[in-house]
Amino acid sequence: MIPPAATVAFISRGAPLGSPRATPAQTAADTVAAASDPSDVVRGLDEFLAWAVDAALRLAPRILLAAVVFLAFLALAWLARSLLRRVLRRSHLQGSVADLLLALLGYAVGALGLVLALENLGLDVTSVIAGLGILGIALGFAAKDTLANLIAGITVLWDRPFRVGDRIEVAGSLGIVRRITLRTTRLDTARNEVVILPNQTMVTEKIVNHTMHSRLRVDVPFGIAYRHDVPEARRAVLESVRGDEDVLEDPAPQVVVTELASSSVNLELRIWLRDPRSELAARLRYVERVKSVLDEAGIEIPFPQLTLHVPEASPAPPPDGGAGGRTAEPAAADSARAPAEPADGADGSTTRARAGGGAAGAGESARRRGVGSE
């Protein structure tokens, strides 16, 4: 809105446009001169007040609508915070995390109401929103991993695949959930270690919850030799389960054959536990118990064996040449070609042959001795 022309003239009196800048003395003189005419002052004030009232009347509907919109969004923020508080109370979320989520929700709804109220007043907030959008994009690129974990944390809290106190297995880690934050989830392992996993991992990886249901089945594998009877092994193992208060009678324990392996018949003991949290202790207890009952029943638990067959080594060939420069084969050939020297065969003397030192010559000499003795 522009003030009335008379008011503008009254305000600019004593300083015409294009004139040099007035000194303080001139300004004071002009003010006194203007004040000396009361009618001009009253008329200017009246016109200014009339302009102000007219502008207020024109803006009043917009101001009222903007106030109603802003108050409505404040009421909406209060209602949304109340609903979210109930949801977070059921999820057993930490108080600090719940307060942070409630504050973020309140600020978000309040900021949206403020923007709409300013638009109803006729103010252009497009540039402001665009600047905030660019700033948000820059912050998103700078902290994308943190924002991803925050969004994943909200997803975990909303979807609730596990709760504090559950025993879960995720990303190769097995433990009890002790704390869930917006950025991480913390597990306590059986070795009293703390595993801190980003919530993005909790959303993208496979999660196995061992304690979501009221009962849990535990499988204990074992094997027996082929020469033993499967029903006999089944009776012995099931007898060891009878009377255990941690094991449910319905469904009943089972021993089933799972595989006919290369060296054993593989079986599996299947039991249902009353308390899923006793899974680890029950598994270790029954692994030892199965070994004991099979030993008492005389049933062998085979293990892989390796038989090594070593062929007999063939004799090494004699070296070429020797001290006399002759090999075994030429020596045997010479012995075979050498003529026998008969002796007095009548009196039963033996026949001698020149053997040349070889193995073949010795055999031939022995044969001839046998013939001569006949």
Side-chain angles (χ1 to χ4, degrees):
M1 289 293 187
I2 301 176
T7 306
V8 174
F10 168 74
I11 295 174
S12 61
R13 182 176 301 220
L17 294 176
S19 62
R21 184 174 181 179
T23 62
Q26 294 175 347
T27 304
D30 293 339
T31 304
V32 173
S36 62
D37 192 358
S39 59
D40 293 340
V41 175
V42 173
R43 186 172 60 255
L45 290 176
D46 290 341
E47 293 180 356
F48 180 79
L49 290 175
W51 169 80
V53 170
D54 181 66
L57 291 177
R58 291 182 181 181
L59 292 177
R62 293 186 178 183
I63 294 175
L64 181 61
L65 181 59
V68 170
V69 169
F70 185 68
L71 292 177
F73 270 87
L74 289 182
L76 180 62
W78 178 84
L79 180 61
R81 284 166 56 91
S82 300
L83 295 176
L84 182 60
R85 186 180 291 108
R86 294 181 181 180
V87 174
L88 296 178
R89 188 180 297 118
R90 293 180 181 178
S91 63
H92 304 286
L93 192 65
Q94 282 187 331
S96 59
V97 179
D99 293 340
L100 177 60
L101 290 177
L102 293 173
L104 289 177
L105 179 61
Y107 291 146
V109 178
L112 180 60
L114 180 60
V115 169
L116 294 179
L118 293 177
E119 285 187 352
N120 287 322
L121 286 176
L123 300 178
D124 187 9
V125 295
T126 305
S127 58
V128 177
I129 296 177
L132 293 177
I134 295 174
L135 179 61
I137 293 175
L139 292 177
F141 278 109
K144 59 179 181 179
D145 294 336
T146 302
L147 292 177
N149 286 323
L150 290 176
I151 296 174
I154 296 174
T155 303
V156 169
L157 295 174
W158 183 265
D159 189 38
R160 299 174 68 184
F162 52 85
R163 302 179 182 179
V164 175
D166 286 351
R167 189 166 180 265
I168 65 172
E169 182 178 357
V170 57
S173 299
L174 176 65
I176 299 175
V177 180
R178 291 305 182 194
R179 189 177 181 185
I180 304 174
T181 65
L182 284 178
R183 195 182 66 86
T184 61
T185 298
R186 301 184 181 185
L187 309 179
D188 287 348
T189 66
R191 294 182 292 181
N192 202 28
E193 298 174 338
V194 179
V195 180
I196 302 175
L197 298 171
N199 284 331
Q200 189 174 6
T201 302
M202 309 303 292
V203 173
T204 58
E205 293 288 336
K206 174 184 175 182
I207 300 176
V208 180
N209 194 328
H210 293 248
T211 55
M212 178 171 284
H213 298 298
S214 59
R215 60 184 183 179
L216 179 70
R217 194 184 81 181
V218 174
D219 301 335
V220 181
F222 63 95
I224 62 174
Y226 272 93
R227 66 175 179 270
H228 295 294
D229 191 16
V230 172
E232 180 182 0
R234 180 181 290 113
R235 286 192 298 269
V237 174
L238 290 179
E239 186 66 25
S240 67
V241 182
R242 185 175 302 174
D244 193 341
E245 296 181 355
D246 295 335
V247 179
L248 293 173
E249 297 181 357
D250 185 21
Q254 291 180 327
V255 174
V256 297
V257 178
T258 58
E259 184 183 8
L260 300 177
S262 59
S263 59
S264 65
V265 180
N266 293 337
L267 295 92
E268 190 173 78
L269 170 63
R270 297 176 177 178
I271 56 177
W272 288 87
L273 300 178
R274 298 181 186 274
D275 186 6
R277 291 175 176 81
S278 62
E279 174 191 4
L280 182 58
R283 186 186 303 277
L284 297 177
R285 183 171 69 252
Y286 274 98
V287 167
E288 182 178 357
R289 187 174 295 183
V290 167
K291 173 66 168 60
S292 300
V293 297
L294 292 181
D295 290 344
E296 293 175 0
I299 299 176
E300 179 188 358
I301 300 179
F303 55 90
Q305 300 182 8
L306 180 64
T307 303
L308 183 63
H309 297 278
V310 180
E312 296 181 359
S314 58
D320 294 339
R326 301 179 60 186
T327 62
E329 292 181 357
D334 293 343
S335 175
R337 289 195 301 268
E341 295 181 359
D344 191 1
D347 58 356
S349 61
T350 61
T351 303
R352 295 190 303 270
R354 291 182 300 176
E364 184 68 20
S365 176
R367 186 180 64 81
R368 292 196 180 196
R369 286 194 187 95
V371 173
S373 62
E374 293 176 0

